[in-house]
Amino acid sequence: MPSLSTKLLGSSAALLALSRNATSQFDWNSITPSRDLHYVKCYDGLECARALMPLDWLEESVDRTVTLAVVKVPAKVQTSDHRYGGTVMANPGGPGASGVLHMLKNGRYIQDMVGSDELHFEILSFDPRGTGLSTPRADCYASETARQAAEWQSRGAGELDSLHIPTLKRALAKAKAHGHQCARYRDEEVDFNIHEFTATASTARDMLRLVDKTEELRQETVSRPTAMDSSQQQQPLDGKRKHSSGQGRLQYYGTSYGTVLGNTFLSMFPGRVKRMILDGVVIPEHWVLGNWDESMRDNHRAVDYLYQSCFQAGSSECALRKDSDHSWHEIQQRVQALIDRLDNDPAPGVTVGGPEIFIDGVAILELISGQVFSPLDFFEGLSSTLAQAVDGNYTELLEQLVPSLSDNDNDNNKEKHGDEDAVTALARPYTWFDDAFSSVACGDAENPGNYTLSHWKHVLERILARYPRLGVRAVDQTIKCAGWQSHPKDRFAGPFISPEADPKEVEGRPSAPLLLLSSLYDPVTPLASANVVARGHPGSSVLVQKSVGHCTLFSGPSRCLRRAVRAYMADGTMPQEGAVCGGDCVPFEECPHERGHL
């Protein structure tokens, strides 16, 4: 099962899966990479391009490039229409999440969320360098066999869930071995290590280039004669919505790690920002230090919500609930008894097409922690899985924890999956997600490679004291970064600040303050983090959605929040200080509204 760190600040690996050869309904290889944006029709009404970017933004003269997979949901009006609001760039997080998959799953929902009948946007996303369909891949293994061997070896080493010094030593040794493995691996088509060029600062520069190329394309399109009604062509742009005749400005919606990327862009290029929404906020100063302590502070509240919402739903809707239960604490106690039982006597299991495993209490904790990311999506199935495990049936639990190895074998399943639709094809295993995650996270983080064993012991002691058992996952990624060898030159470590906004698009200033969104209880990006980030950006505002889950976009729909987002996108109107929006749906009940999905 993936460790919590691989899910931290992004969706679960299973839902962010992406086939290496995903070409169902569209062949990305049919697009010739270009330094300009040359879009072609793709999927169902979307447009795709492959954009060449300098490998090293600090040495652009060196003729080495990376290729980004770019996709957009076109606006419902022409760019010359006075109702056209421009391009909103979206990043789904991770790091390592696929922007292509994000647009297929959530592009039109985001378009409806930020726009209205009076103002229409196109929504653009991309697979950041090294991830998904962008090339070269931030991979560490030459074959899936090697990757699977490393994964199973890692499982056998056990979890870092205590202060057991021999286990800590093995974790550090493994991290160093993995760091060397990633540093020496080369994609067969390039002569460089892509891991040295995947830091957030480089992706922020990629975004700036995309903003410029998008503005060039807009100006070219507007100046080109069309078959539109002449009276509509002659309508002047609304004063609040006009495009600058100079450089383009970024409009952005970032979730999870995407808030680090957005904050980095705003801090590096404040005068190139028009609107910016950060949802599920990460404190960037902690990110660049590799400090995960604060990320878990509300995780227990999100887990408690599983039991609370189950109790409220009743036994007919939630499999974990019993008619005899008098409070949600009794449901919690049954699950805790399961965890204790598996800790004392781990359950053996076999995988389909793979080696044997065992299930312990840590596995249950990690499963729950991953699925509280999106209660509307996961709670019903999770309650069924846990209820069966409580009764001693681990079949569903095993399937949840370990996907069939045969499903991960891309090379042997091309024909088997040949008839998949686009979303299904893109949702198949994106096998180097963990490598892409570490490539960005460890590249951004301060190099901890020289820390002593006593330092790591102290870190574990601190984390365990604050978050017994589960909280130690917060240090897992930092341990991984302890052995990372691929350190980028283009690293931005702050300050993460911006000047006061000016709606007149004054040079060097953003056009509107920063809008920060947060669920009331987010398992990995707590509300407190949004309040901290707001201090660095004058005039910014935190809007809370009274829901549980990771990011408001994924925790559930809210008409109240949508109204606030539309007002902000239209003219920079900020919510009132301390504003709170309710959610429109709850777990274990049918949700009749359109919503975002992990």
Side-chain angles (χ1 to χ4, degrees), residues 559-577:
R559 285 164 290 182
C560 166
L561 185 133
R562 179 178 298 185
R563 287 193 296 270
V565 166
R566 287 177 173 178
Y568 172 76
M569 293 301 300
D571 55 19
T573 298
M574 303 299 291
Q576 292 183 351
E577 185 175 352

Side-chain angles (χ1 to χ4, degrees), residues 37 84 288 330 361 377 385-386 405 424:
L37 290 175
Y84 179 68
V288 298
E330 293 179 68
D377 284 320
T385 298
L386 292 176
L405 288 184
T424 304

Side-chain angles (χ1 to χ4, degrees), residues 147-315:
R147 187 190 317 284
Q148 289 168 3
E151 180 181 349
W152 287 105
Q153 182 185 48
S154 178
R155 291 175 189 273
E159 297 286 348
L160 183 62
D161 59 353
S162 70
L163 284 173
H164 187 236
I165 297 303
T167 302
L168 176 58
K169 289 180 177 179
R170 285 196 296 271
L172 290 170
K174 177 180 175 296
K176 292 177 182 179
H178 184 67
H180 285 291
Q181 169 69 23
C182 295
R184 74 172 190 167
Y185 175 72
R186 298 288 188 275
D187 187 292
E188 59 186 16
E189 296 181 0
V190 299
D191 62 352
F192 53 82
N193 177 15
I194 185 61
H195 295 289
E196 296 176 0
F197 303 96
T198 57
T200 298
S202 293
T203 299
R205 299 183 199 278
D206 292 342
M207 287 169 57
L208 185 61
R209 172 67 64 84
L210 288 173
V211 169
D212 289 337
K213 292 300 180 182
T214 298
E215 176 64 11
E216 289 178 12
L217 188 60
R218 185 197 69 81
Q219 292 186 11
E220 176 186 331
T221 303
V222 169
S223 64
R224 186 187 308 137
T226 69
M228 292 173 56
D229 178 79
S230 60
S231 63
Q232 187 180 37
Q233 277 189 322
Q234 296 302 316
Q235 290 183 22
L237 294 174
D238 186 297
K240 295 180 182 178
R241 302 168 189 168
K242 68 181 180 180
H243 294 272
S244 170
S245 59
Q247 295 176 316
R249 288 191 174 226
L250 173 71
Q251 300 186 102
Y252 181 79
Y253 190 119
T255 52
S256 194
Y257 159 78
T259 68
V260 177
L261 178 57
N263 205 332
T264 299
F265 186 100
L266 176 60
S267 301
M268 292 174 67
F269 313 112
R272 301 300 303 277
V273 175
K274 182 175 183 179
R275 301 282 188 272
M276 182 168 287
I277 301 172
L278 304 184
D279 184 359
V281 183
V282 181
I283 299 175
E285 290 85 355
H286 292 179
W287 176 264
V288 298
L289 289 175
N291 180 354
W292 306 86
D293 291 27
E294 292 301 313
S295 66
M296 303 292 293
R297 63 183 296 166
D298 285 340
N299 188 279
H300 69 286
R301 293 187 173 93
V303 173
D304 285 349
Y305 184 62
L306 166 65
Y307 310 122
Q308 292 162 355
S309 59
C310 176
F311 180 77
Q312 292 170 359
S315 58

